[in-house]
C-alpha cells in the first residue's frame, strides 16, 4: 500500500488532469478494492480484459510490468454508492497477445490496479496474463492390459503440457468415470486410474482426456481385458469296473467349468479324465475232494470218513460245496451194540483228579516254606523304580529290622560300594547304586532301599569323583575352579555346552588373571576379560554364545522391540574382581532425541526374563553400566548370564534400522524362480544367520544389502516388484504388492522375516532376469533394488568362508588381546586415578572419550582409569587408534611421559 503522491511520475502519460492537492476536510479513508483483476489467459488471438473497482477513489489506473498504462487505454466508470455516499470508480483495460509476446524477461506479463484517495493509495494484487495453449502429445499414454479377475489395474496418464494446466478425466467406453459413483475406481493426484479389483464388467476401452480453455486432447484408447482362468470342477465318483471278471478299468471325470475360461483366460491344466486299471477276481465255486478211506471200527461199532471242499476252495464269492464233510456208519452190520459207561469208571476218574490237585498244593506249600527260610535275613525291599533303572539319584534308607542293622551294620567306611541282589534280575548286571559316606543315612524322599546282607553282594568300588558327590550331597561346599577336580568338571561342562551349540555363534577359551578377548566371528558379539578380572592363580573356562532359538528370545509388550541378539556368557557365578565387558550390536537409531527407553533384560535360572537396568538410569544399586554407541552397546558387568536389549518406543518418530537383503537360487532347473526378500534387524548376527541359511539352500545375493529406517508409525512394510519383462516372465503374485504387518517388523521376535516373489518363465531357454523390487514403509522411507541376474550353472553361491569360525580368530589370551600395552596402562592408572586440582584426571579422560554419562559408576571402582581404558578397548576393538588416545592425553596436559610412550606403541 502506497501513501499519497504529491507529484505524478514523469512516465505517467496523460494524467495531467489529476489535482495537485486533495481536500483535507472531511477526511477520507484509504481506497478499498471491491473487485481486483483476475488471472487471465489469451486464447489464440483474442485479447482479454482486466477489471478493478475501488471505493472511495478519486482516481484509478492500471500499471503493467511496472509501467503505467496510458489513460486513453483505460475505460473508467464512476458512481456514488447509495448506502455510504462514497465515490466508486471502476476501470478496465484490454491486453492483446502482441503485448504479452513482446515482454522479455523471466517474469510473466502482469498488471496491477492502483486507486487514489485523499488518504493515500492502495494497490491491488498482481494479475498475470498468459498465452494459453495445450500441446497435442501426451507425455505418457495408458497402455492396454490383460488382467486376471480381482487383480489391481493401474492405467497411467501424463497429460500434454499446457497453460493453464490441463484437467484430466477418464472415459470408459466413451462414458466419463466418476469415482464417487463407482468406488472400484480411483483417480490419483497425478492423473493415473486405478481399478482396485478388476471385474468382468471392467473389460472395456479406457481413454484419458486432457482439456483446458484452449483445447481438448484424447489419448490413444487402452483396452483392458479382464480374463478368467479356467478351473476344474470336483472329480466325480469312480465308476464301477467295466469288466465283471478279469482286466478292465474304472474312471472318473471333471470339467473345466469352475469357472470356465473367459476372455482368453487359460484353459485348465491337466486331464479331465482319470482311469485306473481294475482286475476284479472271477468267482470260484468250491469242489469236494475224494473221500478218505474209512477209519477202523471203533468201540462204538462205527467207523467214519471225511472230505474237504478244497479242490478248489470257494473264493471271490464262489459257491460253497454242498453235502456233508463227515460221514459215519455201523461197521458190524448191526451185530454190535453200544454200551454206556458204568458208575465205577466215573468214580475212578474223579479220584485220580483229586489226587493230582492235592500233590500240586503240597508242592507249592513246601516251595514257599523253603524260599522264606532262605531269605529270612533280608533287611529291606527296594521299592523305587529308579534303583531298578540304575539311575544315579539321591537315595534314602528305611530301616525295617533295627536289631539286625545294629548288630551287623553294612560297611560304610569305604568311599563307595555297590549293592546288588535278586531285585536286579530284570536289569542289566552293570547297573549299580553308588553309595558315599556323606548322604547315605540322610532321610531323603522318593527312594526306599533294602540292603541285602547276603554274602557276596557287597563289592567295594573306587571313588566316583567330586561331580557326582556334589550331586549326592548338598552339604558339600561349592567350589569354582579351586582345585583340579573342579577345574576338570567345569571344563567338561563347558565343552559339553560348546558341542551343543552352533560353532559359528560360540567362542570358548581358557583365561587366567592376564585376561583376554572372546570374539564370535562376524556377529558383532564379543566378551572382553580385562587383566586382573580373574583372581590370581585361577583359570576359568569361559564362553560367549549367540542364542538363535526362538524360545530363548524374550516376549515383548506393545510398543516394545528386541534390539539386539540374545547373548549368553559364562561360566555363571564366576568370581570376578572387576567388570567384564560384553559387546553386542543393536538396531536402534539415536538422533539426539529421547525417543527410546532401552532396558537390559537377563534370564533367570528359572528361565524368566527380568529387568536389570534402564539405560541412562544407572545408580549405585544397579549391577551394571551400559555404554550405547551408534551401532553397538557395551555392558560392564561382574555377573555373567544370558541377556539382551529391549527398547520401548516413546514417540511416533522412534526409529529402528532394518537390513534388507534379496536372495535367489543360483540355478533354476524349474520354470519358476523364487526371489526372497529378507527384512531383518540391522545387526551383524541376523545377517550372518541368513547368509548361512541361504548357503545351505544354494542361494545367492542378487543385490547389495541396504539399510532402511523403520519408524514406529504403525504403518506396514510394503514390498512390490516392477518392470518384469512380460514377454519372458510372468509374476505369480495376484496382488500388486505384499505387506509385512507393522507388528511383525517392529517387535523383532520373528527371526529371518521375509517375503517371496515367484516369477515363471515362459521358456526354459530364458536365463536372464532384470527387474526392480521396491521395499518401503507406507508413508515412510523406502529402498529400490535393481536386479540383474543370470540363471547360470557357472554362478557361484554365497561365499561364506569368512563366516567359518575355523578361519577366524575367536580367542585372544594375555597382553596380545589389548591395544594398550601393560606398561602404559599401569602408568596411566597410577597417574590419573588420583584426583587432580586441575581436574585433568580420570574424570577428564572420561569426558574426552565421551564416556562421562555416569561418572559415579567409574568412581566406585578401585581403578577408575583402568575401567575407562577397558571400555575404550572394547569400543575400538580390533584396531584401536593409540595415536588418538595419545592426542587426548596431550589435550589433557598430561606430559609426564605417557604421551611419548603411547605414541611409540
Amino acid at each position: 500500500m502506497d501513501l499519497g503522491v504529491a507529484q505524478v511520475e514523469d512516465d505517467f502519460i496523460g494524467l495531467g488532469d489529476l489535482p495537485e492537492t486533495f481536500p483535507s476536510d472531511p477526511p477520507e479513508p484509504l481506497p478499498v478494492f471491491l473487485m481486483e483483476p483476475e488471472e487471465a489467459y489469451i486464447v489464440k488471438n483474442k485479447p482479454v480484459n482486466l477489471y478493478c473497482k475501488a471505493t472511495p477513489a478519486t482516481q484509478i489506473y492500471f500499471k503493467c510490468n511496472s509501467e503505467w498504462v496510458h489513460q486513453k487505454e483505460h475505460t473508467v466508470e464512476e458512481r456514488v454508492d447509495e448506502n455510504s455516499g462514497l465515490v466508486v470508480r471502476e476501470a478496465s483495460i484490454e491486453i492483446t497477445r502482441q503485448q504479452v509476446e513482446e515482454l522479455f524477461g523471466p517474469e510473466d506479463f502482469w498488471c496491477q490496479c492502483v486507486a487514489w484517495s485523499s488518504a493515500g493509495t492502495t494497490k491491488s494484487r498482481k494479475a498475470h496474463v498468459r498465452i494459453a495453449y495445450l500441446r497435442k502429445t501426451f507425455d505418457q499414454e495408458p497402455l492396454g492390459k490383460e488382467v486376471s479377475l480381482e487383480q489391481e489395474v493401474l492405467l497411467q496418464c501424463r497429460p500434454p503440457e499446457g497453460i493453464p494446466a490441463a484437467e484430466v478425466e477418464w472415459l470408459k467406453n466413451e462414458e466419463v468415470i466418476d469415482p464417487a459413483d463407482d468406488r472400484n475406481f480411483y483417480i490419483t493426484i497425478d492423473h493415473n486410474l486405478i481399478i482396485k479389483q478388476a471385474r468382468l464388467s471392467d473389460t472395456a476401452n479406457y481413454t484419458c482426456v486432457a482439456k483446458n480453455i484452449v483445447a481438448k486432447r484424447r489419448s490413444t484408447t487402452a483396452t483392458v481385458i479382464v480374463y478368467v482362468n479356467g478351473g476344474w470342477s470336483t472329480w466325480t465318483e469312480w465308476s464301477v469296473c467295466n469288466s465283471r471278471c478279469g482286466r478292465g478299468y474304472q474312471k472318473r471325470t471333471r470339467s473345466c467349468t469352475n469357472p470356465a475360461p473367459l476372455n482368453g483366460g487359460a484353459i485348465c491344466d491337466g486331464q479331465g479324465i482319470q482311469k485306473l486299471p481294475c482286475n476284479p477276481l472271477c468267482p470260484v465255486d468250491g469242489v469236494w475232494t475224494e473221500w478218505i478211506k474209512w477209519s477202523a471200527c471203533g468201540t462204538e461199532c462205527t467207523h467214519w470218513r471225511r472230505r474237504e471242499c478244497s479242490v478248489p476252495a470257494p473264493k471271490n464269492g464262489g459257491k460253497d460245496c454242498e453235502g456233508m464233510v463227515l460221514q459215519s456208519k455201523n461197521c458190524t452190520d448191526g451185530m454190535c451194540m453200544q454200551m454206556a459207561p458204568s458208575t465205577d469208571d466215573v468214580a475212578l476218574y474223579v479220584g485220580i483228579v483229586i489226587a493230582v490237585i492235592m500233590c500240586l498244593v503240597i508242592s507249592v506249600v513246601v516251595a514257599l516254606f523253603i524260599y522264606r527260610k532262605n531269605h529270612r535275613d533280608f533287611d529291606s525291599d527296594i521299592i523305587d523304580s529308579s534303583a531298578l533303572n540304575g539311575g544315579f539319584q539321591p537315595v534314602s534308607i528305611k530301616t525295617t529290622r533295627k536289631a539286625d542293622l545294629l548288630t551287623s551294620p553294612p560297611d560304610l567306611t569305604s568311599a563307595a560300594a555297590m549293592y546288588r541282589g535278586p531285585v536286579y534280575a530284570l536289569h542289566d548286571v552293570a547297573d549299580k547304586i553308588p553309595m558315599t559316606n556323606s548322604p547315605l543315612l540322610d532321610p531323603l524322599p522318593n527312594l526306599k532301599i533294602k540292603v541285602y546282607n547276603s554274602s557276596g553282594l557287597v563289592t567295594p568300588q573306587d571313588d566316583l569323583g567330586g561331580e557326582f558327590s556334589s550331586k549326592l550331597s548338598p552339604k558339600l561346599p561349592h567350589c569354582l575352579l579351586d582345585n583340579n577336580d573342579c577345574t576338570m568338571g567345569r571344563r567338561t561342562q563347558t565343552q559339553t555346552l560348546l558341542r551343543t551349540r552352533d560353532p559359528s555363534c560360540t567362542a570358548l577359551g581358557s583365561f587366567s588373571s592376564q585376561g583376554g578377548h572372546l570374539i564370535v566371528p562376524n556377529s558383532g558379539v564379543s566378551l572382553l576379560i580385562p587383566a586382573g578380572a580373574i583372581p590370581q592363580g585361577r583359570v576359568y573356562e569361559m564362553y560367549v554364545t549367540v542364542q538363535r532359538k526362538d524360545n530363548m528370545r524374550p516376549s515383548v509388550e506393545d510398543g516394545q522391540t528386541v534390539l539386539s541378539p540374545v547373548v549368553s556368557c559364562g561360566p555363571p557365578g564366576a568370581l570376578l574382581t572387576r567388570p567384564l565387558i560384553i559387546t553386542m550390536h543393536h538396531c536402534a537409531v539415536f538422533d539426539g532425541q529421547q525417543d527410546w527407553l532401552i532396558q537390559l533384560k537377563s534370564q533367570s535360572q528359572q528361565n524368566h526374563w527380568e529387568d536389570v537396568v534402564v539405560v541412562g538410569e544407572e545408580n549405585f544399586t544397579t549391577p551394571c553400566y551400559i555404554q550405547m554407541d551408534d551401532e553397538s552397546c557395551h555392558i560392564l558387568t561382574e555377573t555373567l548370564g544370558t541377556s539382551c536389549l529391549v527398547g520401548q518406543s516413546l514417540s511416533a518418530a522412534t526409529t529402528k534400522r532394518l537390513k534388507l537383503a534379496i536372495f535367489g537360487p543360483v540355478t533354476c532347473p524349474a520354470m519358476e524362480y523364487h526371489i526372497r526378500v529378507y527384512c531383518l534387524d540391522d545387526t551383524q548376527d541376523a545377517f550372518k544367520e541368513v547368509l548361512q541359511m541361504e548357503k545351505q539352500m544354494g542361494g545367492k545375493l542378487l543385490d547389495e544389502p541396504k539399510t532402511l529406517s523403520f519408524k514406529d508409525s504403525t504403518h506396514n512394510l510394503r514390498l512390490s516388484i516392477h518392470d518384469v519383462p512380460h514377454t519372458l516372465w510372468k509374476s505369480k503374485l495376484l496382488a500388486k504388492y505384499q505387506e509385512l504387518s507393522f507388528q511383525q517388523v517392529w517387535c523383532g521376535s520373528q527371526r529371518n522375516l521375509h517375503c517371496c516373489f515367484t516369477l515363471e518363465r515362459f521358456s526354459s531357454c530364458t536365463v536372464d532376469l532384470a527387474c526392480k523390487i521396491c521395499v518401503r514403509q507406507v508413508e515412510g522411507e523406502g529402498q529400490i533394488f535393481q536386479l540383474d541376474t543370470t540363471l547360470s550353472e557357472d554362478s557361484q553361491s554365497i561365499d561364506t568362508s569368512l563366516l567359518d569360525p575355523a578361519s577366524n580368530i575367536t580367542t585372544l589370551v594375555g597382553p596380545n588381546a589389548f591395544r594398550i600395552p601393560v606398561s602404559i596402562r599401569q602408568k596411566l592408572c597410577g597417574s590419573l586415578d588420583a584426583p587432580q586440582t586441575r581436574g585433568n584426571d580420570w574424570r577428564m579422560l572420561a569426558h574426552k572419550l565421551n564416556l562421562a554419562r555416569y561418572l559415579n559408576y567409574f568412581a566406585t571402582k578401585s581403578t577408575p582409569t583402568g575401567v575407562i581404558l577397558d571400555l575404550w578397548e572394547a569400543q575400538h576393538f580390533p584396531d584401536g587408534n593409540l595415536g588418538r588416545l595419545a592426542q587426548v592425553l596431550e589435550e589433557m596436559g598430561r606430559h609426564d611421559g605417557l604421551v611419548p610412550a603411547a605414541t611409540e606403541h
Side-chain angles (χ1 to χ4, degrees), residues 388-533:
L388 296 177
N389 293 332
F392 295 125
Q393 304 205 12
V395 301
S396 94
I397 294 180
K398 180 178 179 182
T399 304
T400 57
R401 301 179 70 178
K402 295 183 180 179
D404 291 342
L405 281 176
L406 292 176
T407 56
S408 179
D411 184 9
L412 300 179
T413 59
S414 59
M418 179 180 68
Y419 295 82
R420 293 188 298 183
V423 73
Y424 287 96
L426 298 178
H427 201 66
D428 193 289
V429 71
D431 290 341
K432 45 189 166 293
I433 301 178
M435 315 271 299
T436 66
N437 55 6
S438 176
L440 187 58
L441 299 178
D442 292 341
L444 300 179
N446 302 330
L447 184 62
K448 299 178 181 180
I449 294 182
K450 197 166 196 175
V451 181
Y452 296 96
N453 289 333
S454 303
S455 59
L457 294 181
V458 179
T459 306
Q461 300 290 327
D462 296 334
D463 188 5
L464 294 177
E467 182 179 357
F468 180 73
S469 298
S470 63
K471 290 182 180 179
L472 209 57
S473 175
K475 298 180 180 180
L476 292 179
H478 174 71
C479 61
L480 182 65
L481 305 180
D482 297 294
N483 51 53
N484 293 334
D485 291 340
C486 286
T487 302
M488 291 302 296
R490 287 288 175 183
R491 181 175 293 114
T492 301
Q493 292 179 10
T494 309
Q495 289 173 349
T496 302
L497 171 69
L498 182 60
R499 286 194 297 269
T500 60
R501 296 282 189 267
D502 182 353
S504 67
C505 54
T506 301
L508 177 77
S510 299
F511 297 91
S512 65
S513 60
Q514 289 185 330
H517 215 141
L518 276 177
I519 309 103
V520 180
N522 299 288
S523 67
V525 175
S526 63
L527 175 65
L528 180 73
I529 304 103

Side-chain angles (χ1 to χ4, degrees), residues 796-872:
Q796 298 295 321
S797 62
I798 301 167
D799 181 12
T800 54
S801 58
L802 294 179
L803 301 183
D804 183 3
S807 63
N808 290 269
I809 298 175
T810 60
T811 306
L812 296 173
V813 179
N816 292 332
F818 307 103
R819 288 286 295 159
I820 305 174
V822 176
S823 58
I824 295 180
R825 173 185 289 269
Q826 292 174 347
K827 289 181 180 180
L828 289 174
C829 293
S831 175
L832 300 179
D833 279 347
Q836 300 291 325
T837 55
R838 294 171 54 193
N840 57 346
D841 50 22
W842 64 269
R843 293 167 295 181
M844 181 178 289
L845 177 65
H847 279 285
K848 291 286 186 181
L849 298 178
N850 297 320
L851 303 176
R853 181 174 60 81
Y854 184 58
L855 289 176
N856 288 338
Y857 177 81
F858 303 108
T860 60
K861 306 305 174 186
S862 59
T863 168
T865 305
V867 178
I868 293 172
L869 294 179
D870 293 339
L871 184 51
W872 182 89

